[in-house]
Structure formats: structure tokens, C-alpha cells
């Protein structure tokens, strides 16, 4: 029998995607394959991508990464959610917190009871019923506590991280190289395909070195060196739904303690992010080039940042969308090479993690079966499309009519699945998670309510509960959350105690 196994994996690109893939492969495959990563310092990386979602903890656990060490080495902080400012109306503010809203009661999610009580004037804003939202507003943070009752909200706190993207790639590089990944510095200048079927045979470096592989992972960023420039896999453009196509980034010095959340503020032609790290604050203005120029966007951002700017503004261009085939022939594109929605809700690093898990799960042999490849591509498309709809929701569900940008967003047509989700929620506060889609019910509920999609009714079963019991339930949850937040330490104090990074 011939040995049909993959032997050599070549990863082109050493940004977050390349090193996340390399580190995971090194750990999971444990020496079964030769893994080589090529990166070019001269080309560099995109250098942004500093906020994450809680799923990253699973990646770290799989790789047995020590959380304290990870935070220290990446100048990291903790993220309980995102604060949205001025999105549905100027003056509005809400938190999309990770984790639960209250606790489910009977067969119904808590928000169903909240809806009725709120309509009756017996409940305050939704933020008071989510531990993550309430703690964010007070600047508090702690990891899950072991010495509390099983049902305490403190027993299972959902959180993610903010970190320095450059330090993160370096951290993963050390990890991967220590486990046998070979790094090659330099530029790929040529891609050699097999004449008979177009599969990639080798890449050629600027110095003439030829690097052969069986499976190529394209992590070359927006340029998609293998997947697009070579294989022409095609790109689906979603600019009509996600009108922002540029960002200007400008980090600044810290002013005050770090918030345990990202702040996303809606602006005249897009939105700005503010990501607190231990050594600096990351800022950026994501905007639609149709409505504002680069210079004006940069000048506006400079006015809005808290502290002294560190370095000059850097403009990044992108086209929201996704590669029509993320896996084509023997090339799998991961990271920006596979597509990019936009930074709102910080899902891109999650999509890298998910793609890495998927390729491990569907790992091929040299036969490169179509069934495997098709399943991979279908899963990748499903995943990003559901996230896409969640992001579109933030733009579309607005009452703002103060600028041409917001007028466009408010009146644009959106994918049918999203319209259906909005209609269902507006009717009676219901949401159904579609199979393995990433964002769960609490996320959709918080964002829909925050964007002023307020249901007219609630689930009929809520009316079965006597009024006094309803008020007890809703009031009790609010009290428990407030008590929990009270005992949580300030975010800065938690960092100082457990994972303070050295001054750079
Ligand atoms: C404005 C903005 C904000 C973002 N914010 C977030 C966020 O908050 N959270 C989040 O999850 N994601 C965010 N992202 C996405 C995130 O930055 C990326 O998903 C992540 O950095 C992965 O990038 P990458 O590794 O695919 O590409 P890159 O960082 O561009 O890396 C590409 C690599 O390929 C190499 N390369 C390219 N061509 C060649 C060649 N010819 N030869 C050799 N090497 C080559 C480069 O040297 C580099 O090492 C953001 C993106 C943008 C644009």
C-alpha cells in the first residue's frame, strides 16, 4: 500500500493567523508532520487585532498556555464585553456583555420575564441583569471564583482578552518554535503549481530557495498570495451590507485604569474602537471611504483619543467579504487571506481559531477528497455568514438620520435571515440560534434591545407566573448581580495582583 499521508505543511505568513495555526498544529500533531512557516519582516503584519471573544480561552487551554504568563507577555487585559455608545440614537449606551442574562427559569430564558417587568416599569435596563455588563460599568473584574455556590454568577464568568497583536504573534512564535516549527525569513516571490492539476507544489523565496509542501496554509493576509493571486478562488464582496472599508489606527498613552471592555462609539461615517492594554490604549476609526476621507478620519480620531498619541496614524484598507473557497486544491486560507468582515465584535481571531480547529478535524491525506474540502468550505461559509448578519444588525437597527452614512445604513436592504431574526424578536422577544452559529441568544438579545428593537409582547408562558413572583424573580436577579459586582475587585487591582506585565 502506498503511503498517502501528508508529510510537509507549509504556512505562508507569520501574523496572528500564521502563528496561531503553527502553534496549534505543533501541539496537536506533536511531530507527526514537518511544519514550516515563512514570513517576511519587510512586508510585516497588519499589526492590529487586539480584542477577542471568550472562545480564545479554549484555544489557550488546548495549547496548555498559562493564562498569567500569556497576559504578562502580551501586555494583556481582560474583556467582559463591549460598550456601544451612540448607536441607535446619539446619547444611547449599552453593553454587550459575554455570558448569561440573569438565569433561565422553567423553559424560558430570563429576558422573557424581564421584558414584561420592564414594560410594566418594574425592571431597570438590561445591563443590570448581566454580571458582565454590570461589572463593566463599575470597572470591576475577576476570574471565576471556586469558593462560591455552584449557581452564583461568580462561579462561571465569561471573559476574553485584549492584547498587543505584535507581542501575541511573538508569544505564539516562541511556543511553536519550541515545539519544532521551522521558521524561514524572507519573501515568497513565486508559486509553482503542478502542471497536471494546478495544485501548489512549492513556493520560491527571493533568494531562490524552493520550499516544497503537500499542504499549504495561506496566512499571507489580505493579499491572499496562494488562494487568490495563484488559485483565483474568488471573493464575495459584502460592502453593500457592511459599508466600512477603511480604518485608521492610532494608539495612545493610557489615561486612568484599563476598562474591562472595548468601547465602540458610533461616529459620523463609521465607529471608533478603544482597547485598553497595560502599556497603552489602542484606538481606531473604522469608516466608509464613500462618506469620509482618510485625512479627515485621522484628524477626527486624533481629537477623540484620551492620551498622547504614540506614533502617527496608520490607514488600513479592506473589502468586507469572504473568499468563495477558503480551501481550494491543496491550499487552505486562514485569517485575512480567507476574508474579513470588519473589526466590530472582534470576531476575526475567533475565525482563525475556528478555521484551525476545522482543518485539524477535517485533516486530509494526499488524495485531498472533495467531500472533505466541500464540507470545510460549507462550514466556513455558514460560520462567517451568521457572524456577518450579527454585525450588520448593529448598523441597520438604528434610528440615526443625522449623516448620509447612517441614512444609508438605516435604509439598506439586509440578508433575509437577519430580517427574519429581527421580526421574530420584535414580535415577542424570541430568538433561535441556528445550529453552530457563534453568537448565542444572550448576545443577540443584548444587541437587539440595545439597538432599540423592543418586543411588543413576551412569551405567553410568562403570564402564567403570578405578578408578585415575577417581581421577586426579576428583583432577585438584579440584587444578586449587584452583590456579586460589589465583591469583585477593580480590573486594575486584579491585574496588579495576578498578571502585571513588566514596563516595556
Ligand atoms: C482595522 C482592523 C482592526 C482589527 N481588529 C480586530 C480585533 O479587534 N479583533 C480581532 O479578532 N481581529 C481584528 N482584526 C483582524 C486581525 O487583525 C486579523 O485577523 C489578524 O491580525 C490576522 O491577520 P493575518 O495573520 O491573517 O494577516 P497579517 O497580519 O497581514 O499577516 C500576513 C503575513 O503574511 C506575510 N506575507 C505576506 N506576503 C508574503 C510573501 N510574499 N512572502 C512572505 N511572507 C508574506 C507577512 O509578512 C505577514 O507575516 C482587525 C483587522 C483590521 C484591519
Amino acid at each position: 500500500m502506498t503511503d498517502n499521508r501528508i508529510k510537509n505543511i507549509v504556512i505562508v505568513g507569520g501574523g496572528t493567523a500564521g502563528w496561531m495555526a503553527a502553534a496549534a498544529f505543533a501541539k496537536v500533531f506533536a511531530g507527526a508532520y514537518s511544519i514550516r512557516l515563512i514570513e517576511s519582516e519587510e512586508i510585516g503584519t497588519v499589526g492590529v487585532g487586539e480584542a477577542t471573544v471568550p472562545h480564545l480561552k479554549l484555544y489557550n487551554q488546548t495549547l496548555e498556555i498559562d493564562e498569567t504568563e500569556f497576559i504578562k507577555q502580551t501586555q494583556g487585559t481582560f474583556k467582559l464585553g463591549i460598550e456601544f455608545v451612540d448607536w441607535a440614537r446619539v446619547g444611547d449606551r449599552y453593553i454587550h456583555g459575554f455570558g448569561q442574562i440573569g438565569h433561565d427559569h422553567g423553559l424560558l430564558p430570563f429576558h422573557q420575564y424581564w421584558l414584561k417587568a420592564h414594560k410594566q416599569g418594574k425592571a431597570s435596563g438590561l445591563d443590570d441583569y448581566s454580571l458582565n455588563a454590570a461589572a463593566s460599568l463599575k470597572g470591576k473584574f475577576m476570574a471565576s471564583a471556586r469558593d462560591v455556590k455552584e449557581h452564583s454568577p461568580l462561579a462561571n464568568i465569561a471573559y476574553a482578552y485584549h492584547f498587543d497583536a505584535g507581542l501575541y504573534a511573538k508569544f505564539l512564535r516562541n511556543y511553536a518554535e519550541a515545539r519544532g516549527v521551522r521558521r524561514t525569513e524572507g519573501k515568497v516571490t513565486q508559486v509553482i503549481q503542478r502542471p497536471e492539476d494546478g495544485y501548489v507544489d512549492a513556493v520560491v523565496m527571493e533568494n531562490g530557495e524552493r520550499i516544497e509542501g503537500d499542504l499549504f496554509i495561506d496566512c499571507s493576509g489580505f493579499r491572499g498570495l496562494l488562494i487568490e493571486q495563484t488559485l483565483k478562488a474568488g471573493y464575495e464582496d459584502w460592502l453593500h451590507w457592511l459599508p466600512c472599508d477603511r480604518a485608521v489606527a492610532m494608539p495612545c498613552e493610557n489615561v486612568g485604569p484599563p476598562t474591562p471592555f472595548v468601547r465602540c462609539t458610533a461616529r459620523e461615517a463609521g465607529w471608533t474602537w478603544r482597547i485598553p492594554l497595560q502599556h497603552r490604549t489602542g484606538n481606531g476609526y473604522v469608516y466608509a471611504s464613500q462618506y469620509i476621507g482618510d485625512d479627515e478620519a485621522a484628524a477626527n480620531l486624533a481629537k477623540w483619543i484620551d492620551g498622547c498619541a504614540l506614533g502617527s496614524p496608520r490607514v488600513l484598507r479592506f473589502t468586507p467579504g469572504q473568499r468563495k473557497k477558503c480551501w481550494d486544491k491543496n491550499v487552505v486560507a486562514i485569517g485575512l487571506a480567507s476574508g474579513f468582515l470588519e473589526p466590530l465584535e472582534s470576531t476575526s481571531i475567533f475565525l482563525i481559531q475556528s478555521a484551525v480547529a476545522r482543518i485539524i478535524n477535517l485533516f486530509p491525506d494526499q488524495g485531498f477528497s472533495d467531500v472533505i474540502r466541500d464540507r470545510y468550505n460549507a462550514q466556513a461559509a455558514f460560520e462567517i455568514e451568521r457572524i456577518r448578519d450579527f454585525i450588520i444588525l448593529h448598523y441597520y437597527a438604528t434610528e440615526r438620520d443625522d449623516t448620509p452614512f447612517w441614512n444609508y445604513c438605516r435604509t439598506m436592504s439586509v440578508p433575509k435571515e437577519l430580517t427574519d431574526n429581527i421580526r421574530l424578536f420584535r414580535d415577542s422577544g424570541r430568538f433561535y440560534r441556528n445550529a453552530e452559529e457563534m453568537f448565542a441568544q444572550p448576545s443577540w438579545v443584548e444587541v437587539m434591545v440595545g439597538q432599540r428593537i423592543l418586543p411588543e409582547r413576551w412569551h405567553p408562558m410568562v403570564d402564567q407566573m403570578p405578578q408578585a413572583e415575577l417581581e421577586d424573580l426579576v428583583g432577585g436577579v438584579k440584587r444578586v448581580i449587584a452583590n456579586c459586582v460589589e465583591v469583585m475587585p477593580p480590573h486594575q487591582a486584579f491585574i496588579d495582583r495576578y498578571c502585571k506585565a513588566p514596563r516595556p
Side-chain angles (χ1 to χ4, degrees), residues 219-246:
C219 297
S220 63
F222 288 130
R223 65 192 70 211
L225 190 67
L226 306 181
I227 197 76
E228 195 57 54
Q229 290 185 16
T230 307
L231 297 182
K232 317 247 176 299
Y235 197 75
E236 207 175 313
D237 179 337
W238 290 332
L239 194 62
H240 47 293
W241 289 321
L242 296 169
C244 293
D245 58 352
R246 287 198 196 166

Side-chain angles (χ1 to χ4, degrees), residues 13-18 38-40 43-46 48-51 186-188 219-223 225 247 273 316 335-336 340 343 346-349 352:
T16 303
I38 303 165
E39 67 175 320
S40 156
I43 294 175
T45 65
V46 71
V48 281
E50 311 205 310
K187 258 194 246 174
V188 171
C219 297
S220 63
F222 288 130
R223 65 192 70 211
L225 190 67
W273 79 73
L316 298 129
L336 298 174
F340 182 54
S346 340
T347 54
S348 199
I349 292 171
I352 296 171

Side-chain angles (χ1 to χ4, degrees), residues 206-226:
E206 203 169 30
N207 64 7
E209 187 188 357
R210 182 186 158 100
I211 299 175
E212 295 183 351
D214 304 314
L215 173 67
F216 287 82
I217 309 292
D218 186 350
C219 297
S220 63
F222 288 130
R223 65 192 70 211
L225 190 67
L226 306 181

